[in-house]
Amino acid sequence: MKQVVTDNELVKLTDFLSYSLNRSFVWGETHCSMLICRAWDYAKGSQNYKNYHEENFPVDSLEKAKELCAEKNGLVLLDYLGYEEIENGWRTGDVLYLFKDEIECMHIYTDGKLVSSFIDGKVTAVNLYHVLKIIEQDELEFKVFRKQ
């Protein structure tokens, strides 16, 4: 079922992502796919996406993440969240999806930056242009998704 994303939800999403910056990487809390679920839950005033993620894709270690990523469960999660692949353009809430080194990586877009977390690092925001240059330079395959 298609859900309309309101301007108010996009503002809340951006607020959540800004609040999350510099938080430490923690499996099950700030890893990339859970960060996206928690951001949308905050925007929508629920815990539905977080709960779905915990029930269907519990992650507590790099080994478990690789196991789930091998099956491309990130794409299943994006479908559940109501995302569809798009060809071009960037709007708040869009997700950049990469598969690299046995791990699915998802970055959510807001204010010209891609927000994600890095293993043994923090939640960070990186300039979109910089990320796209790295993708081009390393010849990585990627997809972009938009919540419909």
Side-chain angles (χ1 to χ4, degrees), residues 19-112:
Y19 167 76
S20 298
L21 291 176
N22 296 314
R23 292 189 66 209
S24 295
F25 179 93
V26 177
W27 290 111
E29 186 179 330
T30 58
H31 72 275
C32 64
S33 57
M34 184 59 86
L35 182 68
I36 292 168
C37 288
R38 293 180 68 230
W40 279 111
D41 278 344
Y42 181 82
K44 295 190 169 289
S46 74
Q47 288 200 350
N48 296 339
Y49 298 139
K50 174 184 172 282
N51 292 342
Y52 176 82
H53 192 305
E54 289 176 341
E55 291 169 17
N56 294 281
F57 313 112
V59 179
D60 60 2
S61 67
L62 179 58
E63 293 74 27
K64 182 63 176 177
K66 285 183 177 181
E67 178 185 316
L68 291 168
C69 291
E71 299 171 5
K72 301 286 189 346
N73 282 305
L75 294 173
V76 174
L77 178 64
L78 288 173
D79 183 62
Y80 178 80
L81 293 172
Y83 277 89
E84 293 178 9
E85 188 172 355
I86 62 170
E87 293 298 318
N88 56 34
W90 289 93
R91 291 196 319 219
T92 296
D94 288 355
V95 170
L96 172 72
Y97 171 92
L98 296 161
F99 189 84
K100 182 181 179 199
D101 300 328
E102 302 180 76
I103 294 288
E104 292 174 293
C105 302
M106 291 182 255
H107 310 264
I108 190 165
Y109 178 81
T110 186
D111 293 333

Side-chain angles (χ1 to χ4, degrees), residues 3-20:
Q3 296 182 5
V4 175
V5 177
T6 67
D7 289 341
N8 191 42
E9 289 172 338
L10 294 176
V11 168
K12 287 181 178 180
L13 182 85
T14 299
D15 286 349
F16 180 87
L17 294 171
S18 293
Y19 167 76
S20 298

